Amino acid sequence: MAEKKIRNMEEFSAVSGISRPTVSKFFNNPDSVRQSTRDKIEAAVEKYDYRPNIFAMNQNRKLTKNVGIVVPLLADPYFAEIARNLEQRCFDAGYRPTLFSAHGDPALEVEVLDNLRSMKPAGVLLAPLGRASDRVALEKFCDDVPTLIFDSSVDELGLAFVGSDNFQFTSHITDYLCRTGEPPCFFEMKTPANPNAHRRRQAYLTAMETFGFEPQVISVDGEGWGFEEIGRLGGHDALANHRFGTNTILCSNDRLAIGLLTACYECNVSVGRGPDCAIRVAGQDGHPHSRYTCPPLTTISHDYDAVSKHAADALFEAIDGEISPWKSTRIQGKLILRDSA
């Protein structure tokens, strides 16, 4: 016997103590929530004799066509390119995208999420800062708003995760460099802003061990998102102090590599694959400007089109009520050979 007549999903959420988005996920697909949560909801359904109005659910979901897109730093060409792809996919699907940048600031990221919550979007495509993010605020937002996490995963938050396979990235380009010359050193920031850097470092160490070479990691000082200048200054120090143990350098990302190329130019160190070149330099990401460095930068590139398509499609399906259990989709990168290595 019901203790109280529940009129809508908001009231059911309040009396059951379960967030409104989680309740909605359950009624769209019971398998999309954890078993313990499912048991709690089913007990509350029995207790209050609640049955959702499916027609109202479908109408409410379509009241807004706004979709938020949040990136850590829009000035970073990688995030600018992926945001451009996501915006276009939103337009093509009939949604109105609104783009936000956290500018590398955890407090501003929380403010952006609060602003988005007040807009009541149909859904959000979010690339979080990662380790620097406010984990509690992030989890609360994902409970309140249908959110697809991309680029940097944070546990199993949101509807799902879509990003690049950083282990494949680094393993593949390390293999190429080992096969075509001296095995590479790994050039990185000591305190990287992007958590993907840690995954790439570990992938490098694993790959070098697998290929039978001794790894060498050069970690340079610098914080924040000014990667090019950090790479330039760190490159000057490494060159001056002979820190590179081989003539091949794999950088953690393309922006660091661009800074290192500048340091090499300023130190009169020739870079390239030719017999008269002193060192080889390679990067990771497929930076939109990597084709135009001097020499053009060898890199392993994100599949911008595939990442944006998988992320947008997963969010649009969830908005339409096709909610699946949480999963991680990691897309392989493509090796791009140029003159730098």
Side-chain angles (χ1 to χ4, degrees):
M1 181 66 67
E3 296 183 0
K4 175 185 176 182
K5 181 63 178 177
I6 304 301
R7 296 174 299 175
N8 54 48
M9 200 173 295
E10 284 72 20
E11 290 186 0
F12 179 75
S13 172
V15 298
S16 65
I18 302 166
S19 72
R20 170 67 169 76
T22 300
V23 169
S24 179
K25 285 177 67 177
F26 168 81
F27 283 116
N28 279 293
N29 179 4
D31 292 332
S32 67
V33 300
R34 293 185 175 88
Q35 185 61 47
S36 59
T37 303
R38 178 174 177 173
D39 293 342
K40 187 175 180 181
I41 294 174
E42 289 176 344
V45 166
E46 182 70 22
K47 179 177 181 180
Y48 296 105
D49 193 28
Y50 174 66
R51 298 293 182 271
N53 184 329
I54 300 300
F55 177 77
M57 288 169 59
N58 290 336
Q59 290 301 309
N60 288 337
R61 190 180 298 114
K62 297 175 183 176
L63 285 177
T64 174
K65 282 291 188 178
N66 298 322
V67 169
I69 301 172
V70 184
V71 297
L73 185 71
L74 192 55
D76 186 306
Y78 160 67
F79 289 115
E81 180 64 16
I82 198 72
R84 183 188 69 79
N85 276 265
L86 290 170
E87 275 190 313
Q88 190 58 57
R89 293 191 182 280
C90 288
F91 286 130
D92 292 345
Y95 290 96
R96 294 184 293 270
T98 304
L99 182 59
F100 296 86
S101 172
H103 297 285
D105 183 347
L108 184 56
E109 183 177 66
V110 173
E111 184 176 331
V112 165
L113 297 181
D114 288 341
N115 289 338
L116 269 169
R117 185 185 283 106
S118 68
M119 292 170 58
K120 301 186 184 303
V124 169
L125 294 154
L126 170 63
L129 292 173
R131 285 181 171 86
S133 294
D134 184 325
R135 175 68 167 71
V136 174
L138 204 60
E139 184 173 12
K140 179 66 166 61
F141 181 82
C142 291
D143 283 342
D144 293 342
V145 180
T147 304
L148 189 289
I149 304 292
F150 72 96
D151 182 65
S152 178
S153 62
V154 181
D155 297 329
E156 293 188 5
L157 294 185
L159 299 164
F161 170 76
V162 176
S164 295
D165 186 342
N166 286 287
F167 283 93
Q168 181 267 343
F169 260 51
T170 307
S171 298
H172 190 31
I173 196 166
T174 300
D175 175 54
Y176 162 73
L177 293 171
C178 288
R179 287 187 292 103
T180 55
E182 292 186 13
C185 308
F186 191 75
F187 186 68
E188 66 169 9
M189 291 170 58
K190 191 176 296 181
T191 53
N194 191 317
N196 289 328
H198 296 285
R199 299 182 181 95
R200 292 177 181 180
R201 182 184 198 271
Q202 186 55 52
Y204 164 78
L205 295 174
T206 301
M208 290 291 281
E209 181 181 354
T210 300
F211 302 146
F213 296 109
E214 185 72 25
Q216 182 187 358
V217 177
I218 295 92
S219 302
V220 299
D221 293 330
E223 296 184 356
W225 291 80
F227 301 163
E228 292 87 355
E229 183 64 3
I230 292 170
R232 187 184 77 86
L233 295 176
H236 269 284
D237 177 76
L239 290 167
N241 292 289
H242 308 287
R243 297 180 63 189
F244 296 125
T246 77
N247 70 358
T248 304
I249 305 161
L250 173 60
C251 298
S252 180
N253 61 64
D254 284 349
R255 292 180 59 198
L256 276 179
I258 290 171
L260 177 59
L261 288 176
T262 301
C264 290
Y265 171 79
E266 293 172 345
C267 294
N268 294 315
V269 174
S270 59
V271 178
R273 292 188 285 178
D276 57 338
C277 295
I279 64 172
R280 300 187 298 163
V281 175
Q284 301 179 78
D285 277 336
H287 185 300
H289 301 156
S290 61
R291 171 67 181 83
Y292 307 104
T293 59
C294 189
L297 183 64
T298 289
T299 184
I300 187 158
S301 178
H302 297 277
D303 188 335
Y304 291 95
D305 186 65
V307 170
S308 63
K309 183 180 189 310
H310 278 78
D313 286 352
L315 179 65
F316 300 156
E317 288 171 4
I319 291 172
D320 288 337
E322 300 175 26
I323 300 177
S324 303
W326 189 95
K327 71 174 182 177
S328 172
T329 301
R330 297 186 180 273
I331 296 168
Q332 293 191 349
K334 177 183 178 182
L335 186 62
I336 299 176
L337 303 181
R338 300 193 179 108
D339 290 343
S340 72

